[in-house]
Structure formats: C-alpha cells, structure tokens
Amino acid sequence: QDTFKIQTQKALLDVYLADGSKIRLDIQTSDTAERILEVTLCKMGLSRELIKYFSFFFFQDHEDGALSVVKKVAEFELPYVGLQSMKELHCKLGIRKWYTDPCLDTLMMDCRASLNLLYTQAIQEVKKNWVKPTERQMQELEFLQKSANKAKFLELIREVRFYGYVRLDPCTCDYPEEGCSADIYVGNNEINCCIKLPTNQTREVSLKVNRLRSWQVTFLDTTKDGEEDTLELRLEYNDSSTWQ
C-alpha cells in the first residue's frame, strides 16, 4: 500500500467467473485475498469446507480470444493493490479451482455452487482449447452441454486429455535443441511440453515432477525499445538415470 500510495478506504472490486460474469464487492483496499475469497464464495453459497479448493487468480483476456493465467493470488496478498500494481497488463481478478487432480471433482458434486464453478471453468477450457477431447468426446460434451447435464458433463470431461491442467503461455526452449517453441501444460504431477522443432515437426515430452531435483527462475534484462522483459526457467531433470 505504501509503495503504490494507496490509502485504506472503501472501494469496489470486480471478481470474474469463468463464464464472463462478475460479482461486484464492497471492500476495504487493505482486505486480503483470503478474506475476500471467503466472503465471495460464501455469498455464492459455497460450503465452507470446500473453500480451500478454490483460489483467486490474476488473468488476461486477449483480443484473439486466448486466455492467460498470470499468477495465483497468495492468501496474504491484497487483490485491490495487486490490480493497481499491474495496470499496464490489464489484468482481471477471477476465481478458479486450485487443484490438479480431477478425482477431487467428485467432492464438489453435492454443492450447487461448487458444481457451477467447475462446470463454467470446464466449458471455458473447452472453448479456449486448453483440453484435447477426441472427436467422439467432443460430440458427447456438446450434447451434455445442450441438455445442461452438468454432473454428467464433468464426469465425462475428467477422461479428456489435459483436463485439470493449467496451460501456460507459449514459450521458447532449448530442448531438445535451440530454437524450439513449446506449449506447456502443468498438472497431474507432470509438466507436459508440446515442442515444435525448427523442422516444423512436433515432439511431446512429459517431465514427471518426482524426477525434478531443482529449478531456477532468472530475470533476463534484455529489454530493448518495444520489447518485453524475459524470464528464464531452468530445470534439472533425471532422464534414464542421468541428470541434465
């Protein structure tokens, strides 16, 4: 608050759901994410014991229809201040589930509010091509969506590839060689990389979390006029008993 010269006072805060609707809240600028999330979810009718399975995220809607999840909001953060500090990114504050094991969906089925949250997020991930259903699965999902059978829809989508994963923005990588681009999916105890090689061939690599020994994130100050700063992620991974 001191850094961005924001006084403690009443303010309005918009919280977005996956279907594009929003909830407008009366808050204090000093309210933490933990407090605001609890108020929001209780207002929606979510059972208190299920609150821990959801979280706030900062995200961006792009003009081309793509969706970027910028970061999870930590419980101690101040969402109002966070949005002010990232004004240039045009971020929104949204609610998403906070687990990557699709089996946990079954805990949400008896609560109408959690069922609706999971359903709208699943619909969004289908529209944004975050999940990869087969043609048959897609036909069944479309039928269940038209018939508004939310429970059956969620039961089927748990079988769809990459459901429950977080998709990160495309990036460049030097594995298996320099000059590759990659789509990254994180979930189910793996980092899945769909790598496009310089030869335009595609290679899929799954990095299992239990084979990661260390990782390092570095800020690369390579900024030139009109260019964005770069973050570099390096992993140490055990592949066939060899660390690389």
Side-chain angles (χ1 to χ4, degrees), residues 12-27:
L12 294 175
L13 183 69
D14 288 333
V15 175
Y16 287 82
L17 305 180
D19 61 1
S21 62
K22 66 181 180 182
I23 301 171
R24 177 157 287 186
L25 301 172
D26 293 310
I27 64 158

Side-chain angles (χ1 to χ4, degrees), residues 4-15:
F4 296 99
K5 297 180 173 60
I6 296 174
Q7 300 295 322
T8 297
Q9 58 188 8
K10 291 183 178 181
L12 294 175
L13 183 69
D14 288 333
V15 175

